[in-house]
Structures are given as C-alpha cells and as structure tokens.
Amino acid sequence: MSDDRLIVALDVHTRNDVKNLVLTLGETVSYYKVGMELFYSVGPDVVRWLKKEGKHVFLDLKLHDIPNTVAGGLTSLMTLGADIVNVHASGGYTMMKTAAERLHAAAAEQGIPCPKIIAITVLTSMNEEDWAKLGETEPIADHVTRLAKLTKAAGLDGVVASPREAASIRTACGDNFLIVTPGVRPAGASIDDQSRIATPGEALKNGATHLVVGRPIRAAEHPKEAALSILNEMATV
C-alpha cells in the first residue's frame, strides 16, 4: 500500500539514517522530501540513490535570489532527477517566471522530463505574532492566497502552503494546481515547531494534493505502522 500524495520528509543528517528509514518503510512510501538539512550534509548523491530505489523526490531547497541566479541554480539541480523543485514566491513574479521558463527550456534541450516547480508561500512555522513583527498587516491567509495567484500567473505548477490555506488556494487557482502541505499532524501528535497545522484528512479535504509528514513517521516507535495509519486516513478522503 502506497500513495504518491504522501511525502515523507527525510530531515536527517546521514546516508545511513536515510537508508534505514527508506528500507524500513519499504513499499509503503513512494515519495520523499530532501531538504536543506540532508542535502547540505550528504550532498546530491542522496537524490540519485532515492531515484535508483524507484522513489519520487521533492527537492526542497527553497531557492530565493535574483532571477538569473535562481534559474541557473534550478537548471543545475534538474540533472539530479528530482520530481519537484521549489523557490520562494516572495522572490517575485519575474524571478518565478524566469526560473520556470529557463527550467522548461533546459529540460527540452537536454531531452529529459522537466520537474514540477512550486513556490513557498509563507512558512508553516509562522504564526500571527511573528507575522506582525515583520511589519505585515495583511492576514497570513490572504497573503498566501495572493502569492499563490502570483505563482500561477508566473507559470509555476503549484505552491507550498499550510493546510489551513489550501481551500482558499484551490478556489483561487483551480483544479490543476499543486498544493503541497507541510504542517500535517495526525490527531494527538506533537505539533513540534509548526503553527498552522491540520490532520491528514483535513488537509486533503481542504484541497491539498500532497502531504509532507516528517517527525510523526520518522520519530515513531514503529515508523511503518505510523505511515500506514496516515495512509489509511488518506484513503477515506
């Protein structure tokens, strides 16, 4: 039993930790997130290894710089074979549009599949108090939806947002738009450093296309059983 909508976050430091978790979860999980913590620790070979194991990969490096630099960075990363890559929507329309156009052009030139490119809206650890300290007066939910619309206009495939904003994004951006939601916690699980959270079922009902789950699976006494429990809940939606 597996479901490509579940993405397990590999927020670990070593190749051994990666292999142990992936082999423990086996065929139960088909999609993994490689973020900064792991990528900066062990390098790009971890993405290649996951692909050789037949897994899908969301390469979560959150690029945010001037348009040319972000576009160049993404085209360099593309050769690793990740299925999803991402940038920060706060980099602006021109940055996102340039990145998407350059990535698609490079993929076509090299004759390889182009990864989906999505944009971070507002980090799921951000609460209203921290948001206000940035000088922001617009509610987080409204800001997220505005960034999602900008992301779609720039030609990207979707966004990363909290489950709480998924419904408004789905309404604003339509059906053919990825909504990848961290901050997913099964009922009764610790929220850790997340703020805007929901259960797996709630996230999917709100319009999420993919759920990113890390600690509730990775730190469980029996990770495979924890993953199966989440998959069972997802199957009911």
Side-chain angles (χ1 to χ4, degrees):
M1 176 184 185
S2 67
D3 188 328
D4 284 351
R5 296 178 297 172
L6 174 63
I7 302 177
V8 172
L10 291 172
D11 295 331
V12 295
H13 293 89
T14 71
R15 284 284 297 272
N16 282 339
D17 288 338
V18 171
K19 288 184 176 181
N20 287 339
L21 182 58
V22 171
L23 294 177
T24 295
L25 295 174
E27 298 301 316
T28 304
V29 174
S30 56
Y31 223 127
Y32 288 94
K33 180 178 82 73
V34 173
M36 297 180 198
E37 184 176 355
L38 178 60
F39 193 85
Y40 295 161
S41 177
V42 304
D45 280 348
V46 67
V47 178
R48 298 187 182 101
W49 180 81
L50 286 165
K51 295 301 295 183
K52 286 178 182 177
E53 291 295 309
K55 306 300 183 182
H56 298 299
V57 178
F58 167 25
L59 185 55
D60 179 29
L61 298 183
K62 302 180 176 71
L63 276 67
H64 189 176
D65 211 308
I66 62 174
N68 188 61
T69 299
V70 169
L74 287 178
T75 56
S76 295
L77 292 169
M78 179 181 64
T79 60
L80 297 177
D83 301 274
I84 300 176
V85 294
N86 65 354
V87 301
H88 264 288
S90 56
Y93 174 84
T94 300
M95 185 201 81
M96 290 192 287
K97 187 173 188 295
T98 301
E101 289 177 347
R102 287 265 299 274
L103 193 65
H104 281 277
E109 182 180 345
Q110 296 179 40
I112 61 176
C114 187
K116 299 293 186 182
I117 176 172
I118 62 178
I120 304 289
T121 52
V122 176
L123 298 174
T124 51
S125 59
M126 185 74 68
N127 57 35
E128 296 290 350
E129 181 181 356
D130 286 336
W131 186 242
K133 288 178 180 177
L134 292 174
E136 301 286 353
T137 56
E138 183 180 38
I140 290 177
D142 292 348
H143 189 79
V144 167
T145 302
R146 183 157 56 83
L147 286 178
K149 292 164 70 175
L150 186 68
T151 298
K152 184 176 181 181
L156 275 65
D157 300 292
V159 291
V160 179
S162 93
R164 294 188 186 180
E165 291 97 40
S168 61
I169 294 170
R170 180 61 64 215
T171 298
C173 297
D175 292 334
N176 297 318
F177 195 70
L178 298 179
I179 304 175
V180 179
T181 56
V184 174
R185 292 290 185 270
S190 170
I191 66 171
D192 302 302
D193 56 356
Q194 301 286 3
S195 291
R196 303 183 334 275
I197 65 171
T199 66
E202 289 169 343
L204 292 174
K205 288 175 184 176
N206 285 347
T209 57
H210 295 80
L211 314 182
V212 178
V213 182
R215 277 166 288 199
I217 292 175
R218 189 182 69 251
E221 184 176 358
H222 301 289
K224 189 170 184 177
E225 291 180 11
L228 284 169
S229 177
I230 291 171
L231 289 168
N232 287 333
E233 180 177 344
M234 293 169 63
T236 66
V237 179

